[in-house]
Structures are given as structure tokens and as C-alpha cells.
Amino acid sequence: MSDFVPTPNPEEPEDPFLLRGRVALVVGAGDPLGRAAAVGLAEAGADVAVASLRAGPQEVVRVNSVANEIWSLGRANTAITLDASDANSVDAAVARTSSELGGLDILVNAADLPVAAPLDELTPDDWHAILAANLLAPALTSRAAARVMKVNGYGRIINLVSVLAARGVANTSAYAAAHAGVLALTRALSQEWARSGITVNALQVGLYEGQHGFGDDPETVRQVARMLPAKALVQPEDVGPAVVAMAADSGFITGETIAVDGAATARV
Amino acid sequence: MAMPDRFRLDGQVVLLTGAGRGLGRAMALSYADAGAKVAGASRTLSQLEETAELVAERGGEAISIATDVTDRAAVEAMVAETIDRFGRVDILMNNAGGGAEGDGSPLEQLTDDQWRWGIDMNLTSQMLCARAVLPHMTERGSGVIINVASGFGLRGGRDNWMYVSAKAGVVNFTRSLAVTYGPAGVRTNCIAPGIFPHTPQALERWRGGRYIPVGRAGVAWEMGPLAVFLSSSAAAGISGETIAQDGGGLAAIGPTGWAPRVRLTEPT
């Protein structure tokens, strides 16, 4: 076991939810949750790099439009395309964020590759692709970001996962296993970097309307919503402020998973 | 104040128990900073009045109500007085509680009265406050309840009986409140603080130690922003949830700093 250096107390900030002067990288910013995170962080005053996972034309348009929203909020930004399961590509994205925006304080992993099929139909190649996009990607981005964060002794890593990480649904074996893996990643890295000023937390998001692959079917959406106390699904916009709260935290919350699911996992 | 709008509580009224010292006093200041009026309650009026003075120094408004939170009539009078003075209750912060005589003793030596007192102080008190304020909240169709549990509500402790049982009860009481009163517009969540020492000397003793992964104990003010976040519309998607603020303790197992290295080996 390594020796520990004393950790100082944090200064009480004038405004506990302001991120002025902080730089964030949001991976998967073309997805609704990633967009909400990026816009929320910019509203709180952070400069934000938005990264898209896929280089497809629609994705590029989506990410550029998020970059424009950040610009219209008066914050610096940059749009990046990366292959989040390729270490070189990830390292280059972090380096570009750092050089263009002047550092890296906050990493949001919002990349999400939804796949649902019975286990019998999932090939090993499917598994590799699902695990690469949903689990290896946040590990690689965290690794690259933490190299920068350790130098500054400050970092906030926030992993967005699906509620399927905690509850079982048929046909989601690989996807759910990958997302549950992200929660284990969150806990392990919270310990690995506990003395480096880096916190690692997860937001476990309930089914939301329009969620690609899971929230497309209106009948399913209606039935799931009916089971929630508020009788309505969570909105992607609810995730933005939760990301801000974790990004602005004083550093005593780490390794924790917070459900943003309208009490879906609170009930029997 | 530049705090993002969704985190503000301007014009709202928080009823905060255990407001005379420690975490309760710190939360009173954070609530006031966020724009809320504070009705502080506890057994000791002089301590409450000190809290109210500190709130006033920061430009806020607070009243003091002497209350025994284990006494149904006193709790009902506390809620009535808050509504009488401030016109409404938007947020109930169920913070009162504490160590019970008999915890730390072998179970065979525990008296029935010690058990009842510990459960009354840490669990029944929160039920009494919630029950007294809910008719008001459901009638208005909105409200937030936040219960304070503990890391000891999520794991057991040697010779710890009432405190762990009551705090675990608080965690699940939170879920049923969320499920039951969500349809009426009331969100309920729970904070599980780790170690937040009462004195600067005690705070210093934890620094650099191995028990808390981040290498320090919590500072009282750190709980304020989390309470404000959960009380505000920024947490609209969060209900029935318990958030550990414990320096990474819940995510950990074994001694802090345990970092094994095991090489990938070929099968022999």
C-alpha cells in the first residue's frame, strides 16, 4: 500500500453550482443525455468540448448543433469526432480539448450503443462491439482524462448509465452487463484516484422518451410511465443539472451512483 | 447571485430540524444562500437563535422553533407555527437525530428503553415530521422531503444497534414516501453522510488516514449544496434515492490504498 499525503479541506465557494473557469469534455454529446450534460455544464459557466462517437453525417450535424448551443451561451467550445474504443483516438481528443480550451477538469461519458436481442442471437462479435462502445470507451476516456487531471490534482468524472445496469429486462443481456460494468468501473476508479483529487461518479438514468432503441415504442413508454410515481418518464433535461451538481461537488462524493429515474428503482 | 436558476430556492420555505448545530446549521446557511427562508427547529432554542443570527448575517431570514421531534404534539405545533409565520412549507429537511445511549454495548446488555429511544430519535422522529407536513404539501400539489440517514444505514457496525437499524429504516422509508406521494407532487430523497466531525480538532484527526478513501473527513458546509440541489427543481428526475456523501467509503472494501497487481498469465 502506498503512503498517503494529507488531503486539504475544500474552500467553501461563493456559489456552489458555478463552473466558471472549468473545462469539460462530453463524450457522446450527440445523444440526448450528452446534449443535456453539455448544455447544462455550459449554462453553469464551463467551457465544453463536445465529442461524437460516430463519424456519420447525422451525428456530425447533431454534435455541431450542440456546439452552437454552447457558443450561444457565450462559452468556448470545440467539436471533436472520435472512436471511443480506440486509445489513440481518445488520447488525441483529450489532448485537443486540453490545448484548445486550456485544460480538462470534467469528463462526462455519455456514449451509448443500444442493442437488444435474445442472448441466442448475440454473436461474439456483437458482444465485442457492445462492450467496446459501452464499457471500454469510458475506461479509455477516463484513463486519458485522468492523466491531465492528476497533474492539476482536480477532476470530476461522471458516467451516465442506463437503469438496466441495476434491473433486468429481457433481451438486454450484453447492454446491461456493459452498463453494470461501468458502475463497477466507477467504484474501482473512485478508489484508484481517491487521493488525486479526482472523483468518479455515475448517474443511472431511467427510460426516457425517445431513447434510441428502448424508448421508441409509444406503448412501452406509456406502460413504463404508468408505473412511476410521477406518471411520467424522466426527461433528458433532468440529467443536465444532475451532471452540474456532480461536476461542481466539493469532492466528498465519489464512487457513488445516483439514480435519475423518477423513483423507478425505489419501488417494488 | 449567479447560481443557475434551476438550483435557486427563492421565496421557498424550508423546515429544517436539528438546525442548532453541525450539519443542520451548515445546511441552514446554504438554504439561505439559495434564497430560501429557514424555519429551524431543535430542542435548544439558544443554539437555534445563533443559527438564525448567522443566517441573518448572510442576508437570509430564519425563525427558531423549540421542538422535541419525538413528540407528536410538538412536531404538529412546529409545522403549524412554520405555516403561520411563513405561510407555507416547501421543503422538509429531516436532519435531527444522533447517537443513542446503548449503542456500543453488547446486545445482551441493551435495555428495551434504550432500543426504543434510539429508534424514536432517529426513525420515528422523521415519520412524525413527514406525517405532519404531508397534508399541507399534498394539498398544494408540491413539496420536497429530504431525510438524513447515514453510512451506518447502509452497512452494519460492530455493537451498533439502534442507529444502524433506524438509519436503514430511514432509507427505505424514503422510498415508500417517494412511491406513495410522488403522484401528489412530493419528491422524497435521502442523504447518507459519512464522517463529518463536529470540531476542527476532530476533523484534523482524520486527515491522511486510511479509513476514508479520499483521505479526509467531510466539512459541514459540503452537505449544504447537496441538500439545496435535491431540494430544487434541478433534481426533478430524482426521487426515492439515497445519496452517500462519504469520501468514497461506500464504494470501497478493505483498507484504503489496497491496490493489488496481478499479471495476466497464460494457462499452464
Side-chain angles (χ1 to χ4, degrees):
Chain A
M1 289 189 286
S2 55
D3 284 327
F4 297 130
V5 290
T7 311
N9 293 335
E11 293 275 323
E12 182 170 10
E14 187 107 330
D15 184 331
F17 304 107
L18 208 60
L19 297 170
R20 189 89 7 111
R22 298 286 183 202
V23 174
L25 168 61
V26 179
V27 180
D31 289 349
L33 299 185
R35 180 196 157 267
V39 172
L41 291 167
E43 281 172 348
D47 297 324
V48 186
V50 287
S52 106
L53 277 195
R54 296 166 284 271
Q58 286 183 343
E59 179 74 6
V60 170
V61 168
R62 276 198 295 268
V63 168
N64 282 335
S65 104
V66 177
N68 280 335
E69 279 187 83
I70 294 164
W71 176 81
S72 71
L73 289 163
R75 307 314 313 163
N77 63 88
T78 185
I80 302 170
T81 301
L82 67 95
D83 177 351
S85 54
D86 177 83
N88 291 330
S89 171
V90 167
D91 292 351
V94 166
R96 195 173 139 195
T97 303
S98 205
S99 68
E100 287 191 17
L101 299 181
L104 180 57
D105 305 296
I106 300 156
L107 168 68
V108 180
N109 283 308
D112 183 57
L113 179 66
V115 177
L119 180 63
D120 197 43
E121 295 171 18
L122 288 170
T123 65
D125 281 348
D126 292 335
W127 273 90
H128 285 302
I130 294 164
L131 292 175
N134 292 295
L135 178 53
L136 178 59
L140 291 180
T141 56
S142 298
R143 182 176 78 153
R147 286 174 182 153
V148 178
M149 292 169 173
K150 278 181 188 170
V151 174
N152 304 323
Y154 181 93
R156 299 286 178 267
I157 298 176
I158 300 147
N159 297 318
L160 305 187
V161 303
S162 161
V163 68
L164 297 174
R167 293 291 189 276
V169 171
N171 292 359
T172 66
S173 55
Y175 180 81
H179 280 236
V182 175
L183 298 186
L185 180 78
T186 300
R187 287 187 290 265
L189 293 181
S190 76
Q191 304 302 307
E192 207 160 312
W193 299 332
R195 306 280 168 126
S196 304
I198 301 171
T199 67
V200 189
N201 292 293
L203 298 175
Q204 182 180 290
V205 182
L207 182 75
Y208 58 90
E209 201 158 346
Q211 184 176 357
H212 181 58
F214 299 113
D216 299 338
D217 172 33
E219 179 55 24
T220 305
V221 165
R222 206 175 57 79
Q223 284 183 23
V224 173
R226 209 168 49 199
M227 293 175 72
L228 298 177
K231 307 296 174 202
L233 296 183
V234 292
Q235 303 290 320
E237 289 68 32
D238 293 330
V239 171
V243 168
V244 170
M246 289 299 101
D249 183 66
S250 55
F252 207 54
I253 302 178
T254 191
E256 178 64 327
T257 298
I258 299 174
V260 184
D261 67 359
T265 51
R267 52 160 292 162
V268 291
Chain B
M1 278 270 210
M3 194 182 286
D5 289 347
R6 284 189 75 175
F7 292 85
R8 297 283 316 172
L9 299 170
D10 295 296
Q12 296 197 28
V13 174
V14 57
L15 174 52
L16 168 56
T17 66
R21 58 190 177 135
L23 295 174
R25 174 173 286 176
M27 286 191 283
L29 300 181
S30 287
Y31 274 118
D33 286 351
K37 296 175 195 166
V38 181
S42 85
R43 275 172 301 194
T44 315
L45 195 59
S46 58
Q47 290 179 341
L48 288 175
E49 284 167 348
E50 273 177 44
T51 298
E53 266 176 45
L54 292 170
V55 166
E57 279 171 22
R58 285 170 65 147
E61 190 179 349
I63 59 170
S64 304
I65 306 171
T67 310
D68 174 357
V69 288
T70 64
D71 177 337
R72 175 182 182 154
V75 165
E76 287 172 354
M78 166 188 80
V79 172
E81 187 177 342
T82 305
I83 295 170
D84 188 47
R85 300 276 294 276
F86 281 149
R88 55 200 263 194
V89 180
D90 299 281
I91 302 149
L92 168 65
M93 166 44 88
N94 258 329
N95 168 64
E101 194 182 323
D103 269 335
S105 306
L107 190 59
E108 312 83 72
Q109 292 172 15
L110 192 67
T111 69
D112 294 3
D113 280 347
Q114 285 174 332
W115 171 267
R116 287 195 195 95
W117 194 88
I119 299 294
D120 272 5
M121 187 60 226
N122 288 298
L123 177 59
T124 311
S125 60
Q126 297 201 4
M127 181 281 290
L128 291 174
C129 293
R131 191 175 61 183
V133 82
L134 272 162
H136 173 73
M137 288 182 172
T138 56
E139 194 186 325
R140 299 178 60 222
S142 77
V144 170
I145 298 175
I146 299 173
N147 300 323
V148 176
S150 162
F152 279 108
L154 303 166
R155 288 156 299 170
R158 183 175 169 174
D159 284 338
N160 192 325
W161 312 114
M162 290 77 76
Y163 196 69
V164 292
S165 303
K167 291 300 193 181
V170 167
V171 170
N172 224 20
F173 183 55
T174 299
R175 296 193 183 105
S176 279
L177 285 175
V179 169
T180 307
Y181 295 99
V186 179
R187 279 191 307 111
T188 306
N189 286 295
C190 176
I191 298 174
I195 293 165
F196 283 77
H198 289 295
T199 66
Q201 296 81 353
L203 186 63
E204 219 42 53
R205 279 200 292 277
W206 292 99
R207 194 173 316 283
R210 294 201 186 278
Y211 187 77
I212 306 169
V214 299
R216 65 172 178 87
V219 188
W221 71 260
E222 294 184 272
M223 203 163 141
L226 179 59
V228 167
F229 163 58
L230 288 174
S231 300
S232 73
S233 71
I238 304 177
S239 195
E241 182 66 343
T242 294
I243 298 177
Q245 185 173 33
D246 67 353
L250 184 64
I253 191 165
T256 296
W258 183 28
R261 284 175 180 268
V262 182
R263 266 181 224 276
L264 186 66
T265 50
E266 296 295 322
T268 51

